[in-house]
Structures are given as C-alpha cells and as structure tokens.
C-alpha cells in the first residue's frame, strides 16, 4: 500500500497538464471544489458545498466560534425569559446584497416558510418545536416553543439556516440573495459558482473582490490545476499522496489542523443480513483503521470513538470500542448463522463515490472483510447519484462524512431518532430504538447541561452496542494553496469561513 501511494505521487508529478485553464486574475481567488452545490437556498441545501457557500452568502441569527460555541450573528444579543421563549435583538441597518433592508419580518418568513411547508426541505422538521414567531418591531424576533428545546440556539446557528428576503420561494435556489459578506453572481451546473464581495455587508468586509468555485470532480485534475497555477486553493479535496507531492511545489503551501469532520460507515438495518447486530459488530471488529489512517491518509486523521468529536462538551469516551479482532468477528458471524462455504459467508454491496480516496478506502475494507468471510462488492457512483441513493435509502452499506453537523449532540436526534427516518431527517439507516428516542427527547428538554451530558453519554453507549454506524475517524483539515493567498484561518469544521479574511497579493 505504501509503495503504491508513492508511485501514484511520482506519476502525478510527471504528468503533463491536460486542462487548458487560464491563470487567475489579480482580483479573483479560484477555489477548487469537488461537486456543484445541490441547492443554494439555505433552507434547502444540505450537502457540504451548498452549506459552505451559503455560509458566505447568508447570515444566520447566531453563529459559532472556533470552539464550537454559539456567538452573535444577525442577533447581537438574546435572552430567554422562560424555557419556552427566546427573544432575539437584531443588528440595525443590516441590508441584503440587493440593498433592501433586512428586518424581523424576513427572519420570521425564513423560518415560517419551512415550518408551514411553503418550502419542502429536510430542514423543515428541525423546527417542529417552534409554536409561533412574533415580530413586535423591525429589530425583535420572538420564538415561542411548544416545549423546552435546549438545542434551539445551535439549530439557529450556521450552517443551520441563513435568512432570506420576505416572500422568497423557489427562486432562491437560482438567484440567492442574502446578507453575508459575499453576494451571488452566477452558477453553472458542474462547472462553477461565482460570488463577489458584498459591499453592503454590515460586518467586516471581505478583502477579496471575487471568488470562483470551479467544479473539478477528478482528484488528479484538481492537483494539476493547483500545480499549474490555474487555481489558488483547495481544502480537503485531494488524496494524502497528492498533498504530500504538492507540498514540494515552490509556489504552493500546505496547512493542516485537527478537524471535526467524521468519516463513518452506515448500514441499512432493513437489510436481511445487516439487521442482525452480530453481523454489524463483526464488521466493526474486522476493520483495521490504523493502516488506512497511516498509509492512505498520511496520519491526517484521528480514530473516532463517537459521532461527536472529542471537542464537544457532550462527548463520552467510555462507550464500547471495537479494536481490530478478526477472530472475534468470525465468532460473531458463526453465532449469527453464517458459516463459511469456500471461504465466503455472504455478499454485501457497499456504495461509494468515484473519488479516488473513497475507492481506495473501499478496496481496503473489501480486503479486510474477505479475511473473515464477507465478500464485499463495491459500487462507485459520481457524487450526485451517490448522495441521492444514500438519501433515499437505496444501499446496503455506504461510507460518508458528517461535516459540522456532528459538532453538537443534536446530531443524535437528526440522524438516529426513529421520527427522523428519511425523508423526515438523516436517519438513513432506518434505525429505531425506543430507549434512544426517549433519551433524545429528555436531553432536548433538559435545561441543566450536566444532566444533558449524562443523557447523551447513555445515547452514545447504546449506539456503540447497536452499531447503526461504525465511527471511523475524524479528518484533519488540510488546505493546499498558492502563496499569493494570505490571511487564511481554518475553522475546525473545515467550512469556507477562511474566505472572509483571506486576501490576494500581487506577485
């Protein structure tokens, strides 16, 4: 594996550039992304590219800092006079990018269009505990809840949902108008998205005049564009071998920071084979994560013990772990009634994207599972098709990433509550456990954080036994960028907030 990785890097370094891109102009930062955003309406888009670009175009009521704590956003302050009432006071003189004022009416519309079903979105059910929203004046928004909801602030924070102009419906996806530091210019599916600095921005203005997000699905081509100088920047979009190779390029630099993005493997619990918890636990014991982290990722990841990252206040380190133990895996498969015939117990299909790193990871899983008698068939699809299959439950197994949503324990409700089975949420694995549902509801209504922490610890312990997911690793954030770019500050979430402070030097 190690020799193969070095060979790929060597081949990459001697390949002649195939694309005919032009060098970026002095006022435009060209950033490479892997796929087009699915929907730039912040009420609808849930894929990483939609949410990260929306984070630059739209403001949320509240935001999150580098320590994952809630901080002011459009709301300069707020108070909770009782557990079911939250009063937000907006910054004054905030304008949308088209120059129209942003008021409490826009905030109310943004949420009510979801809550009342005017806009169909998986985010709609997130705000089901909101009973009504009042706007006593242009600068005050009052959320009245049906019951206690401890996670309301987190769900109002970026990338939860940005504020759109009053009356906005489906046209937002084609022409996003927000109040963020950048404004939308144009988008062409599978080619690019262009945004420009919003000179009406109420906060600190961006230093970069224009950003082109260029869609480059192929990993090798992404690396070549950076090497040629026809692109300025990418984040978390290259293989580790290519990152190492590009680090030797004199015009490029690399920065790396621990991140919260979670890589996980999920199971379809309605599948006749995978519905048996012994099979899922056997797969967990059969997988050896360390070679993948060391050789494929160049040690740019940490083994994951929970959906939550260790930085979260609710993280529980005591939940059951599954060290590499093929003998234990075979024992569990035998007890589940799957003896090996000619070395094979059964076949499973794992869906993945066409990304080189994803295919390489799946190939290693295939080899490791073969050692315990499981024949893993791999099916690779381009990003949009793969994500569509996952969100429609059309899989036996898949591997994906949580990008930011796993930074708060509200992820348990969104991804594991039986009421959030797709299409009502992200419970794509059809997981249902009444005890987990009850603990999620209890923790969500609990005002005392220590009590909530204990509830979430129990949830993590149950999930570690039931294993609807195998938590694989937390990825580091790795950025390769041109030396003409300065002022880059990476967020643990790996989002695009660094573009708020980035600037370009003329060289």
């Amino acid at each position: 594996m190690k020799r193969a990785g070095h060979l790929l890097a060597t081949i990459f370094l001697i390949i002649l550039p195939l694309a005919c891109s032009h060098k970026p102009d002095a006022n435009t930062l060209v950033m490479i992304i892997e796929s087009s955003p699915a929907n730039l309406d912040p009420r609808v888009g849930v894929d990483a590219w939609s949410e990260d670009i929306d984070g630059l175009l739209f403001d949320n009521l509240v935001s999150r800092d580098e320590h994952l704590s809630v901080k002011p956003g459009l709301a300069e302050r707020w108070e909770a006079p009782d557990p079911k009432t939250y009063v937000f006071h907006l910054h004054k003189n905030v304008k949308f990018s088209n120059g129209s004022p942003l008021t409490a009416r826009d905030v109310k519309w943004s949420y009510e269009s979801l809550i009342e079903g005017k806009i169909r979105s998986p985010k709609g059910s997130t705000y089901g505990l909101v009973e009504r929203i009042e706007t006593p004046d242009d600068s005050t928004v009052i959320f009245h809840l049906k019951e206690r909801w401890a996670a309301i602030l987190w769900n109002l924070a970026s990338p939860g949902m940005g504020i759109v102009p009053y009356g906005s419906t489906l046209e937002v996806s084609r022409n996003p108008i927000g109040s963020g530091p950048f404004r939308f210019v144009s988008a062409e599916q599978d080619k690019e998205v262009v945004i420009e600095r919003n000179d009406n921005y109420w906060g600190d203005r961006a230093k970069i005049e224009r950003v082109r997000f260029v869609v480059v699905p192929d990993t090798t081509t992404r690396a070549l564009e950076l090497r040629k100088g026809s692109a300025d920047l990418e984040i978390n979009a290259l293989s580790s071998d290519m990152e190492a190779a590009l680090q030797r390029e004199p015009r490029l630099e690399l920065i790396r920071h621990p991140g919260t993005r979670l890589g996980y493997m999920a199971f379809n619990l309605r599948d006749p084979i995978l519905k048996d918890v012994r099979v899922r636990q056997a797969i967990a014991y059969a997988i050896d994560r360390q070679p993948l982290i060391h050789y494929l990722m160049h040690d740019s990841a940490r083994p994951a013990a929970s959906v939550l990252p260790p930085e979260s206040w609710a993280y529980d380190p005591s939940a059951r772990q599954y060290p590499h133990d093929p003998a234990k895996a075979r024992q569990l498969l035998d007890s589940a009634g799957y003896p090996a015939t000619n070395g094979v117990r059964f076949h499973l299909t794992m869906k993945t994207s066409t990304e080189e790193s994803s295919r390489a990871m799946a190939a290693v899983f295939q080899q490791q599972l073969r050692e315990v008698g499981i024949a893993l068939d791999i099916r690779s699809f381009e990003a949009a098709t793969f994500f569509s299959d996952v969100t429609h439950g059309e899989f036996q197994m898949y591997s994906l990433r949580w990008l930011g949503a796993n930074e708060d324990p509200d992820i348990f409700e969104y991804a594991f509550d039986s009421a959030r089975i797709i299409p009502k949420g992200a419970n794509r694995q059809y997981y249902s456990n009444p005890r987990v549902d009850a603990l999620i509801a209890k923790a969500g209504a609990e005002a005392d954080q220590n009590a909530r922490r204990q509830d979430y610890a129990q949830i993590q312990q149950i999930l570690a036994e039931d294993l609807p997911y195998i938590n694989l690793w937390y990825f580091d954030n790795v950025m390769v960028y041109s030396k003409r770019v300065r002022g880059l500050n990476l967020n643990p979430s790996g989002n695009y907030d660094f573009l708020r402070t980035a600037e370009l030097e003329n060289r």
Side-chain angles (χ1 to χ4, degrees):
M1 187 185 301
K2 188 174 182 180
R3 288 197 301 271
H6 287 166
L7 178 60
L8 285 172
T10 302
I11 292 173
F12 156 70
L13 283 171
I14 63 174
I15 290 177
L16 291 176
L18 300 177
C20 298
S21 304
H22 300 291
K23 291 183 181 298
D25 68 51
N27 300 313
T28 300
L29 184 146
V30 177
M31 178 172 169
I32 294 174
I33 57 177
E34 304 98 306
S35 180
S36 289
N39 195 313
L40 287 176
D41 186 333
R43 299 167 295 180
V44 179
V46 295
D47 61 288
W49 302 283
S50 296
E51 291 200 335
D52 286 343
I53 294 175
D54 278 343
L56 301 171
L57 301 176
F58 298 88
D59 287 317
N60 292 64
L61 264 183
V62 292
S63 188
R64 304 173 190 171
D65 64 20
E66 64 274 16
H67 303 295
L68 312 183
S69 298
V70 175
K71 67 176 184 178
L74 285 174
E76 61 183 358
R77 58 187 175 88
W78 60 88
E79 64 263 0
D82 63 71
K84 295 194 293 183
T85 305
Y86 284 78
V87 182
F88 296 90
H89 303 277
L90 306 182
H91 284 281
K92 293 180 173 59
N93 301 318
V94 175
K95 294 182 179 180
F96 286 105
S97 58
N98 63 359
S100 63
L102 186 155
T103 68
R105 185 175 75 153
D106 302 299
V107 176
K108 181 180 180 181
W109 170 265
S110 297
Y111 288 98
E112 285 187 343
S113 62
L114 274 179
I115 296 168
E116 297 174 359
K118 295 181 177 70
I119 296 293
R120 294 191 62 184
S121 168
K123 293 185 180 182
S125 58
T126 301
Y127 305 101
L129 291 180
V130 177
E131 183 176 58
R132 69 184 188 279
I133 303 172
E134 294 181 344
T135 55
D137 57 58
D138 284 350
S139 300
T140 307
V141 183
I142 305 174
F143 282 73
H144 295 277
L145 307 180
K146 299 174 184 177
E147 57 189 67
R148 291 172 181 260
W149 185 23
I152 180 174
L153 290 176
W154 183 265
N155 282 282
L156 297 176
S158 57
M161 202 196 65
I163 303 305
V164 300
Y166 174 80
S168 297
T169 54
L170 299 178
E171 77 281 358
V172 177
S173 63
R174 301 183 300 274
N175 183 32
I177 296 175
S179 62
F182 290 88
R183 69 175 189 88
F184 175 79
V185 175
S186 64
E188 186 174 346
Q189 183 69 23
D190 299 325
K191 183 179 179 181
E192 68 177 17
V193 176
V194 180
I195 63 176
E196 289 182 346
R197 182 173 59 213
N198 176 13
D199 289 328
N200 290 321
Y201 189 52
W202 58 275
D204 294 332
R205 288 179 56 189
K207 297 180 175 63
I208 294 176
E209 290 187 18
R210 186 180 302 105
V211 180
R212 286 182 60 229
F213 296 98
V214 179
V215 179
V216 183
D218 180 69
T219 310
T220 301
T221 305
R222 290 197 288 270
L224 288 171
E225 294 293 334
L226 286 163
R227 186 173 181 235
K228 290 185 301 177
S230 50
D232 290 304
L233 185 149
E234 66 76 34
I235 181 170
N236 303 324
L238 297 175
S239 69
S240 297
D241 289 308
M242 290 180 178
E243 289 166 353
L246 289 174
Q247 195 169 12
R248 298 192 291 269
E249 290 292 312
R251 293 183 302 179
L252 299 174
E253 292 190 3
L254 180 147
I255 51 177
R256 185 192 317 272
H257 289 288
T260 60
R261 296 172 301 131
L262 173 75
Y264 67 93
M265 178 188 290
F267 304 108
N268 188 330
L269 272 58
R270 293 184 177 180
D271 182 82
I273 297 174
L274 293 170
K275 68 181 181 181
D276 191 325
V277 68
R278 292 170 295 184
V279 172
R280 303 195 298 272
Q281 291 178 349
I283 292 172
Y285 280 119
I287 289 173
D288 187 359
R289 290 174 285 178
Q290 288 301 334
L292 285 151
I293 290 174
H294 182 61
Y295 292 112
L296 289 185
M297 304 176 198
H298 290 255
D299 298 313
S300 293
R302 302 173 285 171
S306 171
V307 172
L308 297 178
E311 291 81 2
S312 171
W313 60 270
Y315 173 79
D316 176 44
S318 67
R320 178 178 176 178
Q321 301 301 305
Y322 293 85
H324 182 51
D325 190 341
K328 180 67 173 177
R330 295 186 192 99
Q331 179 185 357
L332 284 165
L333 293 170
D334 288 340
S335 69
Y338 294 103
T341 302
N342 298 323
V344 177
R345 300 172 187 270
F346 51 77
H347 285 255
L348 291 174
T349 298
M350 181 176 181
K351 288 191 174 181
T352 184
S353 73
T354 54
E355 280 289 308
E356 178 186 333
S357 59
S358 297
R359 291 189 313 230
M361 175 189 66
V364 176
F365 288 153
Q366 184 181 56
Q367 178 183 2
Q368 293 177 345
L369 293 180
R370 186 184 301 127
E371 294 178 5
V372 300
I374 299 174
L376 185 66
D377 301 319
I378 302 170
R379 299 288 183 268
S380 298
F381 302 88
E382 57 88 20
T385 301
F386 170 58
F387 192 70
S388 176
D389 284 355
V390 166
T391 55
H392 287 87
E394 298 173 4
F395 62 88
Q396 275 187 300
M397 299 166 55
Y398 72 88
S399 181
L400 248 180
R401 305 176 183 184
W402 277 114
L403 311 177
N406 64 309
E407 294 172 350
D408 184 83
D410 199 49
I411 185 69
F412 295 123
E413 188 269 337
Y414 187 52
F416 300 104
D417 194 308
S418 62
R420 302 304 297 271
I421 290 174
I422 52 175
K424 296 179 179 179
N427 187 343
R428 303 160 187 147
Q429 60 279 2
Y430 300 100
Y431 175 68
S432 179
N433 184 317
R435 177 60 178 155
V436 170
D437 291 349
L439 284 166
I440 288 171
K442 181 174 179 290
E446 178 61 65
D448 180 75
Q449 184 160 299
N450 287 327
R452 292 183 71 205
R453 183 182 292 110
Q454 294 175 21
D455 293 335
Y456 288 128
Q458 290 185 60
I459 292 171
Q460 289 169 82
Q461 291 160 14
I462 296 171
L463 291 176
E465 295 290 335
D466 289 351
L467 219 63
Y469 277 12
I470 296 177
N471 301 304
L472 298 171
W473 38 66
Y474 309 108
F475 294 92
D476 290 346
N477 291 315
V478 183
M479 178 187 291
V480 177
Y481 63 98
S482 164
K483 289 183 177 179
R484 81 178 188 124
V485 186
R486 290 289 180 264
L488 298 168
N489 299 305
L490 292 190
N491 185 294
S493 302
N495 59 28
Y496 298 168
D497 277 359
F498 55 83
L499 292 173
R500 293 170 176 258
T501 58
E503 53 188 313
L504 296 175
E505 291 184 355
N506 293 323
R507 287 178 175 267

